[in-house]
Amino acid sequence: MSYIVDRRLNGKNKSTVNRQRFLRRYRKHIKKAVDEAVTKRSITDLDSGESISIPRRDISEPFFHHGKGGKRDMVHPGNKEFVTGDHIQRPQGGSGGGGGGDGDASDSGEGIDDFVFQISQDEFLDFLFEDLELPNLVKRQLQGIESFKYVRAGVVNEGNPAKINVVRSMRQATSRRIALTASSRRRLREAEEKLAALQEQDPVLRDKRKEEELELEIAKLKRRINKIPFVDTIDLRYNLHLKQPKPTSKAVMFCLMDVSGSMNQAMKDMAKRFFILLYMFLKRNYEKIEVVFIRHHTSAKEVDEEEFFYSRETGGTIVSSALKMMRDIMKDRYPADEWNIYGAQASDGDNWNDDSPTCREILIKDILPQVQYYSYIEINPRRHQALWREYETIEATVEHFAMQQISDPGDIYPVFRELFQRKETKRAS
Amino acid sequence: MTERTPISTGSDWTFELIQDYDREIGRVAREFGLDTYPNQIEIISAEQMLDAYSSVGMPVGYNHWSYGKHFVSNEQHYRRGQMGLAYEIVINSNPCIAYLMEENTMTMQALVIAHACYGHNSFFKGNYLFRTWTDATSIIDYLVFAKNYIMKCEERYGVDEVEAILDSCHALMNYGVDRYKRPYPISAEEEKQRQREREEYLQKQVNELWKTIPQLGDKADHHDVKRYPEEPQENLLYFIEKNAPLLEPWQREVVRIVRKIAQYFYPQRQTQVMNEGWATFWHYTLLNKLYEEGKVTDGFMLEFLQSHTSVVYQPPFDSRFYSGINPYALGFNMMSDIRRICENPTKEDKKWFPDIAGSDWKETLTFAMQNFKDESFVQQFLSPKVIREFKFFSILDDDKERDLHITAIHDDPGYRDIREALSKQYNLSMNEPNIQVYNVNVRGDRSITLRHVRHNRRPLETESAEEVLKHLHRLWKFDVILESVQDNTVMDTIKCGANGIEKKSTEKDEEEEELSLIQRV
């Protein structure tokens, strides 16, 4: 007889633990591969996994086996022209000695030197953002409409009927009944035994009166036991749920970019990659995240993503226009006591000369006190201009302001890591 | 041919149909006299099949990174389409668990049922190796015990600690088997009860062995003292479990678990050709019988035969697809050939197999299944006809000769040699280096000496041997010495101490001498 079982609904990720063990063991290799991958591929496809390759000998499990040399017989199928006594040349590298007779086949396979496997996007990002930390990760709480969640907090004696914990209540009732009827039940048992003993005797010899007495006693005890209520109000137990305020973790990210004539498409692409990295990093830390795109040349404009990155503009550059706009939007829509605000600005460093001090002023007075972190990247292979020097004075005084220079796409990820490295490691290095 | 009333005509399967097919196949199997454990047929998805793969088919297993590695690489191959998944996995347990993939068509499901649930199943129940070495009723329990025990160890001592011990045990897994002694059957109930007692007892015993305080300058009377162990020990893991001086009790238990699991898989490694051959022979025979009875359609048979032929295909040695002898092909051909010899013996068969030619094929085949392993099965039953069909030839590879020699081919003088050579090829102890515990310096520095006895001058692969010694050193915790012996002289010595590997070789000099001789000539 056979039993047929449908197991398809059982968990299918039985190997997850083993897989994680494997990743854990080869952390260093994977980390290296991820870092390499990031500099190579475009940031826009960061939302896929990555294939990791590890030298096969690093992960091999050793066991005793024969090496080359010595004498051995091998039997193979498919003889075509050999006859007994033939001499044939030793094949190069193949089945000379090692292996188990299948040397030719496995040695000629492709990529046998590397063990290649795929990690998922999540794992990829985990490795990517490992040891990175959001600076100033003080999550601000929403005032007024604070949201709550209920958490279990054990079992209590009082509560409303909807929250009765049936199992615990019944357990309580059972133990109460056992406790309260213990002596009666013992006496009942004794009485019954006596009665039974009596009834075994010959009817003639039986003590009728005693029998009646016992029967009365038994009836009385049974009544007493039955009087104990099955469930009493003191048995009832209730589940307790406590209301806990849920800290909100909303973040908004401001992307500011210079789109003046001096910024070419390659520069914009680099800026885009930086913004995307930042966006993904924030997304791992906050449940909800909004992005505001502000582009500027001589005047600033809030736009959608598509326009932000791809539409073309020309003209001069006034950086302060964008900062002013950011300040206004923050005031209108993202009050700092509700939102965690992050600012990222990308520019080629060009600005009207007399505008740079204005930028500094707006940043220091209006923006920096409100934001968690503000980063400025200058995409410019040449030497710095006025804006960089103004910003340098800010960096010297304000802790949550950071700036870096990027000159080619390969710099983006290292610069990003630099900006968000964990404080301890930064100090250590 | 009788009137055709097929069980089903479409290619989709349903649970009712699987039940119907199973009933019919089971009926035919009983008519042929197959004796099986009850079957538990489990339908699983492709992902679950991948899971089952990486745990080498064990339905439960402890966690270890190497299983993760297998999983990751299987997954990769499967995703890229480089590898199809097996249609089935079957576990030697009672009831016999067989996994069927949901992607299979009805025909494939029927094929798998015939192959696994009646073929492999009856092999597990009948073959002497499985009967002596494994205990089908308790294996699942034991695996559960092992998994839980290792999980508890991880909680108490940390994942890294446990992983290190497991790594070391895995390196020695092939040397964790008693080849000649029937092991004690394993059962979870008993294990749990006895495990704690054993811990204490073992520790005491070990302490007893090491009670003498190590003394230096002991060498003078060293020769008078008997070696410990007196006889060389083949089961390295067992020896470590019982004698390693500094292992914690829980570590001994982990060694034991790996050893027991190695023991469980030992018969499978020795009966691959027979097991697959038997199962393939029976799915072929059972489904053909159903076809004769009109229970399956022509379409069913075409699909079945197509898949059957690709399973039993043997690529020739010079093919791109050649990766050794296909056990399905050899096994199936030999099994069918035995039937042929019984039913229609030729003159040649009568000469070669006088006692089975013309006998009852079912009895003969069952006898062969029950009492042989690959090595002896080939030795006993490989007929000239099969040798001819496979066009077998035998090559001698001697490193002292410049060329390879063809020593025998599929002709009259060659049959016996081929049979002999092929049989040896399936002898595990021939393929694995013969390494045994030779001596433990009980009274001195506590070093352990292993001896590798060379067969046909075949040396050990040094690089991996060194790695294995490091693992052994982790378990033994004192110096580990591996001597490679040929004709009673030590050729190579590898020593692994606290400071790493030291090597000493006498062979190199010899080779160099030879070389210089040749050059002079």
Side-chain angles (χ1 to χ4, degrees):
Chain A
M1 185 55 217
S2 305
Y3 316 95
I4 298 172
V5 189
D6 187 359
R7 286 263 186 246
R8 286 172 299 176
L9 296 177
N10 283 28
K12 60 184 172 192
N13 293 323
K14 251 162 103 184
S15 298
T16 314
V17 181
N18 290 330
R19 190 165 181 283
Q20 288 307 325
R21 290 276 166 88
F22 174 69
L23 295 186
R24 174 173 164 273
R25 190 178 170 103
Y26 293 101
R27 202 161 196 94
K28 261 191 228 139
H29 291 89
I30 298 170
K31 186 95 188 61
K32 205 174 120 226
V34 165
D35 285 352
E36 273 167 17
V38 165
T39 44
K40 261 185 263 155
R41 68 177 173 176
S42 100
I43 298 287
T44 39
D45 50 57
L46 271 187
D47 52 354
S48 65
E50 174 63 36
S51 80
I52 304 290
S53 90
I54 298 178
R56 199 167 277 273
R57 50 173 312 231
D58 286 6
I59 59 165
S60 69
E61 297 162 79
F63 61 99
F64 285 128
H65 55 90
H66 286 302
K68 279 192 176 184
K71 197 174 89 177
R72 68 189 196 120
D73 278 314
M74 286 168 295
V75 176
H76 291 292
N79 181 21
K80 292 193 181 73
E81 72 271 356
F82 301 139
V83 290
T84 313
D86 273 0
H87 286 211
I88 45 174
Q89 244 185 349
R90 213 178 282 274
Q92 289 303 309
S95 58
D102 51 353
D104 321 67
S106 60
D107 282 5
S108 60
E110 279 177 19
I112 200 86
D113 294 336
D114 276 355
F115 181 82
V116 182
F117 63 97
Q118 207 79 26
I119 56 173
S120 71
Q121 185 214 358
D122 267 352
E123 287 163 341
F124 179 75
L125 293 179
D126 272 342
F127 281 108
L128 190 64
F129 295 125
E130 200 187 47
D131 342 300
L132 293 186
E133 193 175 57
L134 267 181
N136 210 1
L137 194 89
V138 188
K139 291 187 177 167
R140 301 181 181 199
Q141 293 203 354
L142 211 64
Q143 286 177 339
I145 35 162
E146 210 161 67
S147 61
F148 292 96
K149 61 178 177 190
Y150 284 94
V151 292
R152 285 174 170 230
V155 177
V156 289
N157 293 341
E158 281 164 8
N160 73 42
K163 291 196 171 171
I164 284 181
N165 184 325
V166 177
V167 174
R168 290 290 291 268
S169 302
M170 294 316 291
R171 197 188 291 163
Q172 204 68 29
T174 312
S175 54
R176 179 184 48 79
R177 286 201 313 273
I178 291 171
L180 291 181
T181 58
S183 67
S184 309
R185 275 182 298 120
R186 195 182 56 241
R187 273 157 55 203
L188 176 65
R189 204 169 50 239
E190 281 166 8
E192 275 172 346
E193 273 166 16
K194 272 186 202 160
L195 183 66
L198 206 63
Q199 279 169 344
E200 262 176 30
Q201 285 175 6
D202 203 287
V204 190
L205 298 171
R206 246 186 243 166
D207 186 345
K208 285 272 161 53
R209 236 183 50 214
K210 192 146 190 207
E211 204 179 332
E212 264 168 36
E213 252 173 45
L214 279 171
E215 267 163 3
L216 266 177
E217 167 97 1
I218 287 170
K220 202 175 95 194
L221 284 168
K222 277 189 175 156
R223 260 202 318 282
R224 187 179 290 173
I225 289 169
N226 282 337
K227 260 188 191 157
I228 303 289
F230 186 75
V231 180
D232 203 341
T233 37
I234 56 165
D235 298 331
L236 297 181
R237 293 292 177 273
Y238 302 88
N239 290 328
L240 179 64
H241 289 99
L242 285 185
K243 218 175 174 187
Q244 268 185 359
K246 201 169 131 195
T248 51
S249 45
K250 287 198 292 191
V252 59
M253 171 179 151
F254 282 89
C255 299
L256 279 65
M257 186 165 66
D258 181 359
V259 288
S260 62
S262 55
M263 282 282 277
N264 58 30
Q265 193 58 43
M267 285 169 158
K268 279 199 228 168
D269 266 352
M270 275 192 262
K272 179 181 182 183
R273 290 178 183 201
F274 183 81
F275 289 139
I276 289 174
L277 262 183
L278 181 62
Y279 176 70
M280 293 203 325
F281 185 45
L282 289 175
K283 217 173 161 183
R284 296 185 76 72
N285 286 285
Y286 292 99
E287 287 158 27
K288 187 165 179 271
I289 181 157
E290 287 187 14
V291 189
V292 177
F293 296 102
I294 299 173
R295 48 188 278 156
H296 71 89
H297 36 100
T298 49
S299 64
K301 190 179 167 198
E302 191 188 348
V303 294
D304 62 17
E305 191 178 344
E306 186 60 29
E307 200 180 342
F308 184 72
F309 288 116
Y310 294 111
S311 90
R312 307 192 60 90
E313 297 266 350
T314 51
T317 319
I318 297 178
V319 176
S320 65
S321 63
L323 295 176
K324 276 183 198 144
M325 179 158 236
M326 176 173 172
R327 180 192 62 195
D328 296 341
I329 293 175
M330 272 162 59
K331 207 183 281 168
D332 287 352
R333 307 205 314 248
Y334 303 104
D337 50 0
E338 283 179 28
W339 292 82
N340 298 288
I341 304 172
Y342 291 85
Q345 183 188 354
S347 150
D348 61 354
D350 277 347
N351 199 2
W352 287 116
N353 271 344
D354 53 351
D355 184 51
S356 295
T358 324
C359 294
R360 186 175 66 121
E361 210 162 289
I362 298 173
L363 269 176
I364 290 194
K365 249 179 65 197
D366 299 323
I367 296 182
L368 287 178
Q370 311 263 336
V371 301
Q372 309 286 93
Y373 196 65
Y374 192 92
S375 61
Y376 170 64
I377 51 162
E378 189 164 299
I379 305 163
N380 182 357
R382 292 156 297 157
R383 41 189 290 274
H384 304 301
Q385 297 178 34
L387 189 63
W388 179 271
R389 280 190 289 279
E390 288 293 338
Y391 276 10
E392 268 180 332
T393 62
I394 304 179
E395 196 192 16
T397 52
V398 183
E399 208 180 299
H400 57 284
F401 179 87
M403 54 196 280
Q404 288 287 339
Q405 190 187 17
I406 294 175
S407 52
D408 72 82
D411 286 349
I412 294 169
Y413 182 60
V415 163
F416 182 82
R417 285 194 74 88
E418 187 92 342
L419 288 175
F420 291 97
Q421 211 155 51
R422 261 194 203 132
K423 283 281 152 46
E424 304 85 48
T425 51
K426 205 173 183 179
R427 258 182 238 129
S429 65
Chain B
M1 200 172 281
T2 51
E3 202 184 327
R4 306 202 73 84
T5 48
I7 305 169
S8 73
T9 48
S11 68
D12 290 341
W13 60 268
T14 62
F15 283 99
E16 290 73 37
L17 282 179
I18 286 188
Q19 218 154 17
D20 292 345
Y21 273 100
D22 176 64
R23 198 173 40 240
E24 287 300 320
I25 295 170
R27 174 184 59 77
V28 181
R30 269 188 301 279
E31 282 169 19
F32 277 112
L34 288 185
D35 180 24
T36 58
Y37 293 122
N39 278 306
Q40 183 169 326
I41 299 171
E42 307 198 351
I43 314 287
I44 61 174
S45 62
E47 284 99 332
Q48 288 169 321
M49 190 53 120
L50 273 173
D51 282 338
Y53 255 52
S54 44
S55 51
V56 273
M58 293 186 292
V60 271
Y62 53 82
N63 293 321
H64 188 255
W65 68 270
S66 63
Y67 301 136
K69 181 180 99 178
H70 288 147
F71 174 72
V72 157
S73 93
N74 286 334
E75 193 188 26
Q76 183 77 1
H77 287 172
Y78 177 59
R79 291 260 155 81
R80 285 192 182 167
Q82 288 167 342
M83 175 185 92
L85 289 177
Y87 301 115
E88 117 285 338
I89 282 185
V90 55
I91 292 161
N92 167 24
S93 61
N94 182 8
C96 180
I97 302 174
Y99 295 127
L100 269 58
M101 268 223 294
E102 67 171 335
E103 275 88 344
N104 295 349
T105 59
M106 189 61 242
T107 309
M108 289 312 298
Q109 303 291 33
L111 168 60
V112 168
I113 290 171
H115 182 88
C117 303
Y118 295 93
H120 283 307
N121 187 344
S122 57
F123 193 85
F124 291 147
K125 197 172 179 188
N127 183 266
Y128 82 104
L129 277 178
F130 286 89
R131 293 171 70 96
T132 26
W133 258 263
T134 64
D135 189 352
T137 47
S138 66
I139 181 63
I140 303 286
D141 281 355
Y142 186 77
L143 291 176
V144 170
F145 160 80
K147 184 186 171 125
N148 290 337
Y149 188 84
I150 286 188
M151 211 135 63
K152 260 189 225 138
C153 287
E154 281 171 352
E155 278 165 21
R156 274 176 76 178
Y157 309 103
V159 173
D160 292 311
E161 194 83 359
V162 179
E163 190 172 280
I165 294 289
L166 281 175
D167 282 353
S168 301
C169 294
H170 284 189
L172 294 166
M173 202 160 181
N174 289 349
Y175 294 86
V177 180
D178 288 319
R179 288 192 170 76
Y180 309 107
K181 205 166 56 182
R182 191 221 193 280
Y184 205 76
I186 42 177
S187 119
E189 287 286 304
E190 249 173 275
E191 281 305 315
K192 250 178 258 167
Q193 284 168 5
R194 285 181 14 209
Q195 183 257 319
R196 203 157 291 161
E197 293 167 34
R198 194 163 57 221
E199 248 177 37
E200 287 166 18
Y201 174 71
L202 254 179
Q203 198 60 41
K204 264 188 224 155
Q205 206 187 18
V206 171
N207 293 343
E208 201 66 26
L209 178 61
W210 299 108
K211 216 164 60 180
T212 42
I213 301 159
Q215 284 171 0
L216 289 171
D218 217 17
K219 279 177 187 161
D221 54 271
H222 191 74
H223 293 285
D224 311 333
V225 181
K226 273 186 187 160
R227 279 207 324 267
Y228 182 84
E230 282 177 38
E231 294 294 327
Q233 299 283 317
E234 53 160 357
N235 193 335
L236 303 192
L237 282 181
Y238 181 82
F239 191 81
I240 288 165
E241 182 197 329
K242 300 297 177 199
N243 298 302
L246 293 179
L247 282 187
E248 304 270 337
W250 70 268
Q251 291 171 322
R252 286 180 210 282
E253 191 65 33
V254 172
V255 176
R256 185 183 166 84
I257 284 170
V258 175
R259 185 167 70 77
K260 287 288 174 189
I261 290 173
Q263 188 85 57
Y264 170 74
F265 284 115
Y266 185 58
Q268 311 215 349
R269 289 165 55 217
Q270 292 191 87
T271 54
Q272 225 197 347
V273 170
M274 284 183 73
N275 201 344
E276 293 305 349
W278 175 261
T280 309
F281 173 81
W282 280 110
H283 78 226
Y284 183 78
T285 310
L286 293 178
L287 292 183
N288 269 308
K289 175 84 175 144
L290 281 189
Y291 180 68
E292 278 167 26
E293 291 179 358
K295 297 278 193 214
V296 294
T297 60
D298 290 346
F300 178 100
M301 281 314 272
L302 281 178
E303 189 186 345
F304 152 67
L305 283 173
Q306 201 246 349
S307 139
H308 172 80
T309 11
S310 59
V311 163
V312 298
Y313 173 63
Q314 172 65 62
F317 76 102
D318 50 358
S319 154
R320 210 155 57 80
F321 305 105
Y322 180 64
S323 59
I325 295 168
N326 176 359
Y328 291 84
L330 182 62
F332 174 70
N333 277 294
M334 284 182 65
M335 294 284 176
S336 314
D337 194 53
I338 293 174
R339 179 174 182 178
R340 184 193 57 81
I341 292 170
C342 294
E343 288 180 332
N344 305 304
T346 60
K347 234 184 186 175
E348 183 185 50
D349 296 326
K350 279 180 185 149
K351 188 180 143 217
W352 280 73
F353 303 101
D355 34 335
I356 64 166
S359 66
D360 178 67
W361 70 270
K362 278 178 254 175
E363 262 173 37
T364 311
L365 214 53
T366 308
F367 171 78
M369 177 273 277
Q370 284 173 344
N371 300 297
F372 292 83
K373 56 182 172 184
D374 284 351
E375 181 196 352
S376 51
F377 179 66
V378 169
Q379 181 76 283
Q380 188 73 26
F381 294 107
L382 186 67
S383 73
K385 180 160 183 287
V386 172
I387 296 177
R388 280 197 300 274
E389 274 167 6
F390 275 83
K391 296 195 168 68
F392 278 131
F393 64 104
S394 164
I395 300 181
L396 177 69
D397 179 358
D398 189 336
D399 61 348
K400 286 192 173 157
E401 309 265 347
R402 190 178 308 154
D403 293 334
L404 303 177
H405 290 233
I406 306 287
T407 49
I409 64 161
H410 43 93
D411 59 6
D412 235 0
Y415 292 140
R416 277 185 201 283
D417 291 339
I418 297 259
R419 191 154 84 170
E420 186 77 33
L422 191 61
S423 155
K424 269 191 200 151
Q425 206 156 304
Y426 287 106
N427 181 351
L428 275 189
S429 49
M430 214 68 121
N431 291 328
E432 283 170 0
N434 172 8
I435 295 174
Q436 307 206 352
V437 181
Y438 178 69
N439 186 22
V440 172
N441 191 343
V442 189
R443 309 181 65 186
D445 60 5
R446 298 184 172 186
S447 63
I448 184 171
T449 306
L450 307 181
R451 276 210 161 169
H452 166 227
V453 180
R454 291 192 188 179
H455 180 72
N456 281 338
R457 301 196 322 277
R458 295 184 68 190
L460 276 181
E461 209 277 306
T462 4
E463 204 175 312
S464 67
E466 283 167 19
E467 290 304 310
V468 178
L469 283 196
K470 283 181 200 163
H471 281 300
L472 186 58
H473 182 258
R474 186 190 276 159
L475 296 172
W476 189 256
K477 295 191 167 68
F478 291 97
D479 288 1
V480 177
I481 301 157
L482 173 65
E483 297 173 343
S484 195
V485 178
Q486 185 174 308
D487 306 328
N488 289 323
T489 44
V490 177
M491 308 294 287
D492 265 318
T493 309
I494 309 176
K495 183 176 169 185
C496 181
N499 308 322
I501 298 279
E502 286 168 45
K503 272 187 286 188
K504 210 166 61 188
S505 170
T506 50
E507 191 176 35
K508 276 247 169 68
D509 309 344
E510 219 172 74
E511 256 175 35
E512 274 160 24
E513 268 169 37
E514 255 172 51
L515 268 179
S516 57
L517 268 176
I518 292 170
Q519 276 162 356
R520 249 177 265 161
V521 171

